[in-house]
Amino acid sequence: MRLLLRFWRKYASAFRLHYLFGIGFLVATNALAVAIPGFVQSAVDALTTGTQRGVDAASSWALCIIAAGLGIVIVRTLSRTLFFNPGRTIEFTMKNDLFDRLLILPRAFYDTMRPGEIISRGTNDSNWMRVLVGFGTLQLFNVVFTLIITLAQMLHADLVLTLACVGPLLLAALVLRKAVAAMFKSVQALNVEVANLSNQILESYNAISVLQSFGALSGARAHVGETNHRIQSLGQELNRIRSWSLPIVSVIGNLCVVIVLYVGGQRVQSGHLTIGQLAAFTVYVNLLVGAMTGLGWLVNAVQRGYLSLGRLYDVIDAPLAAPATHTTLPAPDPRGYGLQIRGLDFAYPTAGDKLTLRGLNLDLRPGETLGVFGQTGSGKSTLLQVLARVYDPPKGTVFLHGLDGLNGFDLRDLPVEAWRREVAYVPQEAFLFSTTLRENVALSVRKGEIDEERLRCAVDDAALTVDLTALPDGLETVVGERGITLSGGQRQRAALARAFYQDFRLLLLDDVMSAVDHATEKQLIDAVYRRSTAATTVIVSHRCSVVARAQRIVVFEGGSIVDEGRHEELLTREGPYARAYRLQMAAADLEGDAVEPV
């Protein structure tokens, strides 16, 4: 109930006048519908007189029935318009809120919720939420008003005949109750399977080249087919429940008609009822049975809508990063920010208690260029993600030093959006959007605000200038989804150019030269070190040639720092760095690559 109250306050209460007038028109609809049996009663009673005056009166009552029917068409249309239109607007607003929330949720949320699940909640669940707001609300009031007004008229017409119909109607209510319980479980399972199907389709689409290359299309189809079969089975189960519950309600309604004719016929003979009243009563019973059938559809809409609303709020209520206690960042040193890491333990949200970083201690001076070396899985990339606040570090483990270099600010206490504006982070996997190369590089500004000179410098420093001549439209080339039309090295350099285009006080590079040749690597390293004079820089790589010029190198193994020093110092010690350097130099000699020793 609290969920519905919250939803009403935030989204639906703005349309209270729509609902108020809609309820008014629903009352009018039901009043006219219930008035028709009264007109039928009067017409039949007039005909039983066998006089011309009675025939004329019956004709008048027939005209009243026609007028009431036309009135129902008008007021019912108005009521549906007033109930359904707010549902569309609320759906639009809630989808926007959902999208806005998704933009600011931390990476930990996306580690636990699959993309297909998110898409399913934004589409399928949003649609059922709209059904709840529109059709569900309309049907709720309609059923309630029909039951109340019709039962009141039946009681007013004849108490004994009404009580005779109560037993079967209570049986119909019990049938619907059992059907509701069975449908609830099926609806829950159906929502989960629809989300699974969305995720499988999205994964298959993103990996279509892999599926084609490995001849795995039939397996992908079978995987999707299994989920689709489960959805079909659950849908059939819902239909089976409706197929036995709603007909039972109809049969019970017909039983009520039989009771009315039998008991009512006796009461007509005894003079307690007129034939017109009996005819009216049969119409009342049909109205009541229609309301009971509508209750079955109402339950389905309310169940699915309520469950979908809860699934939408699961996303909207997903926790954000820890709230900042400072409104602004400290003023940076002209050379960039300094960082201090103390006892940093970190585990990914999906990894349980398995630590990726263990007891890390590290000082990073303003303007320093730090090389981070280690083999795959040693924790290098995790360190950069923590520094960039892709994942927040534990409180009290990472501190930021400003202009004075003395007062440390806990990174968790600083506003995350402001911090990210100061950081240029280039991850291992370069993600490019399906737009022009120009807009991918100048991603941080709007299209009409691109600084052409800054863009040219960024492209030059990222060693992309030569590549532009081979592209059909240069910087205006549309690179396709995820940059599919570019090579791996071009994608990496485009991502590096994107970082060079923006202003930054901390530059984080995660193995961004793994797909380039040694000549291009040297050019990129020169550009990185040239640009790092006004920023603190952390370069992660498993290639010694990339980190060799760093002012300091830390060596990672198993999430911990096992060695530290300058390139020359590390080579004098028999450790992971020296062994890797010798192996890489030997491999370069065998391949004929000209690698200049540092």
Side-chain angles (χ1 to χ4, degrees):
M1 183 58 69
R2 284 190 298 177
L3 183 67
L4 291 175
L5 287 174
R6 177 185 173 190
F7 176 75
W8 165 258
R9 295 191 193 100
K10 175 68 182 295
Y11 297 102
S13 62
F15 301 95
R16 59 174 69 89
L17 287 179
H18 288 74
Y19 291 124
L20 185 61
F21 282 108
I23 290 171
F25 285 120
L26 271 181
V27 172
T29 301
N30 284 277
L32 288 171
V34 172
I36 289 176
F39 299 153
V40 171
Q41 172 188 330
S42 299
V44 171
D45 285 341
L47 287 173
T48 57
T49 62
T51 64
Q52 183 59 42
R53 184 177 179 181
V55 171
D56 293 339
S59 299
S60 299
W61 288 117
L63 292 175
C64 291
I65 293 172
I66 293 172
L70 292 174
I72 288 174
V73 171
I74 294 171
V75 293
R76 177 172 288 170
T77 300
L78 290 171
S79 67
R80 287 175 176 267
T81 301
L82 289 166
F83 273 100
F84 289 173
N85 284 355
R88 293 286 185 184
T89 306
I90 290 171
E91 180 188 19
F92 174 77
T93 304
M94 197 167 195
K95 281 184 175 180
N96 282 331
D97 289 348
L98 189 73
F99 181 70
D100 290 341
R101 188 70 171 190
L102 289 170
L103 290 177
I104 60 175
L105 283 170
R107 176 65 179 272
F109 170 82
Y110 295 97
D111 287 344
T112 56
M113 184 169 288
R114 299 170 300 174
E117 176 79 19
I118 296 172
I119 292 173
S120 176
R121 297 189 187 214
T123 53
N124 185 61
D125 289 319
S126 292
N127 291 338
W128 277 107
M129 178 274 298
R130 171 172 49 80
V131 170
L132 172 66
V133 174
F135 173 78
T137 308
L138 170 75
Q139 194 72 349
L140 173 64
F141 286 107
N142 191 45
V143 168
V144 170
F145 291 151
T146 301
L147 291 174
I148 292 174
I149 296 174
T150 304
L151 281 172
Q153 289 294 103
M154 291 172 67
L155 288 168
H156 177 72
D158 191 277
L159 176 61
V160 173
L161 200 52
T162 301
L163 292 176
C165 295
V166 167
L169 290 175
L170 288 177
L171 178 61
L174 290 175
V175 169
L176 284 175
R177 184 175 181 273
K178 183 174 179 60
V180 167
M183 288 170 63
F184 188 81
K185 294 180 180 179
S186 296
V187 168
Q188 281 185 310
L190 184 62
N191 285 341
V192 172
E193 292 300 337
V194 168
N196 287 338
L197 182 63
S198 298
N199 193 67
Q200 289 169 7
I201 292 173
L202 185 63
E203 284 183 341
S204 299
Y205 171 73
N206 288 332
I208 189 63
S209 58
V210 176
L211 295 174
Q212 290 172 341
S213 300
F214 286 87
L217 291 174
S218 59
R221 289 194 195 99
H223 191 42
V224 170
E226 290 172 2
T227 305
N228 198 42
H229 179 70
R230 289 194 294 272
I231 291 174
Q232 182 184 22
S233 298
L234 289 167
Q236 289 174 338
E237 178 63 23
L238 286 172
N239 286 331
R240 276 194 293 271
I241 296 170
R242 284 195 288 264
S243 67
W244 65 255
S245 60
L246 296 182
I248 288 177
V249 173
S250 298
V251 169
I252 292 173
N254 292 329
L255 176 61
C256 287
V257 173
V258 173
I259 293 173
V260 166
L261 293 175
Y262 179 75
V263 177
Q266 292 179 335
R267 293 183 67 74
V268 168
Q269 287 180 343
S270 64
H272 290 92
L273 282 177
T274 66
I275 294 176
Q277 287 176 319
L278 180 61
F281 213 94
T282 58
V283 180
Y284 288 138
V285 169
N286 284 326
L287 287 174
L288 207 57
V289 172
M292 297 294 289
T293 305
L295 185 61
W297 294 106
L298 168 65
V299 167
N300 179 53
V302 169
Q303 277 187 341
R304 299 195 71 169
Y306 183 78
L307 289 173
S308 294
L309 186 63
R311 284 162 57 83
L312 290 169
Y313 270 114
D314 285 343
V315 178
I316 293 175
D317 292 340
L320 299 173
T325 58
H326 298 278
T327 57
T328 58
L329 299 180
D333 187 285
R335 299 165 295 173
Y337 280 111
L339 289 166
Q340 185 181 65
I341 301 173
R342 289 291 177 267
L344 173 60
D345 290 333
F346 180 82
Y348 286 102
T350 56
D353 296 330
K354 184 180 179 182
L355 294 177
T356 305
L357 298 177
R358 304 170 184 273
L360 207 63
N361 293 290
L362 181 65
D363 288 327
L364 189 59
R365 299 182 297 275
E368 182 179 15
T369 299
L370 177 73
V372 180
F373 175 84
Q375 298 305 311
T376 301
S378 59
K380 310 184 303 297
S381 298
T382 303
L383 172 63
L384 292 198
Q385 291 187 73
V386 169
L387 295 182
R389 293 190 70 178
V390 174
Y391 295 97
D392 268 329
K395 195 170 178 60
T397 57
V398 181
F399 300 90
L400 179 69
H401 295 280
L403 185 60
D404 56 16
L406 298 175
N407 297 321
F409 295 82
D410 194 316
L411 199 61
R412 284 280 296 268
D413 292 336
L414 301 173
V416 64
E417 291 300 324
W419 173 243
R420 287 172 180 167
R421 285 193 292 270
E422 298 292 315
V423 177
Y425 168 51
V426 186
Q428 285 184 19
E429 296 295 329
F431 187 96
L432 301 183
F433 293 90
S434 183
T435 183
T436 64
L437 189 58
R438 173 191 299 276
E439 292 177 43
N440 268 291
V441 173
L443 186 64
S444 57
V445 298
R446 297 178 180 177
K447 186 176 180 179
E449 301 174 354
I450 296 177
D451 186 326
E452 295 298 329
E453 180 60 25
R454 178 189 288 265
L455 179 68
R456 184 192 62 78
C457 292
V459 169
D460 285 347
D461 284 352
L464 271 175
T465 306
V466 176
D467 296 83
L468 295 180
T469 60
L471 296 175
D473 298 307
L475 280 172
E476 303 303 327
T477 301
V478 177
V479 298
E481 188 175 2
R482 297 177 178 267
I484 190 83
T485 60
L486 303 181
S487 68
Q490 288 172 330
R491 287 196 294 272
Q492 281 188 338
R493 283 177 284 142
L496 191 58
R498 179 187 292 165
F500 288 162
Y501 182 83
Q502 67 184 89
D503 291 320
F504 52 81
R505 293 292 179 270
L506 178 64
L507 178 61
L508 306 174
L509 304 178
D510 189 1
D511 216 3
V512 297
M513 303 177 200
S514 59
V516 301
D517 57 49
H518 286 291
T520 305
E521 177 189 289
K522 184 178 183 303
Q523 182 180 349
L524 294 175
I525 291 173
D526 289 341
V528 168
Y529 283 95
R530 185 171 63 252
R531 284 179 172 266
S532 65
T533 55
T536 306
T537 304
V538 181
I539 305 177
V540 162
S541 182
H542 64 278
R543 287 161 64 165
C544 297
S545 56
V546 174
V547 298
R549 287 171 56 181
Q551 293 167 302
R552 186 162 48 110
I553 301 169
V554 292
V555 181
F556 269 56
E557 269 191 6
S560 301
I561 296 175
V562 296
D563 206 351
E564 180 179 350
R566 294 181 64 86
H567 173 75
E568 296 82 0
E569 297 172 5
L570 292 174
L571 292 182
T572 62
R573 298 194 285 268
E574 187 58 36
Y577 186 85
R579 291 194 297 272
Y581 179 78
R582 289 196 297 270
L583 289 172
Q584 290 174 16
M585 291 294 291
D589 289 339
L590 289 174
E591 294 172 4
D593 288 334
V595 180
E596 297 181 9
V598 178

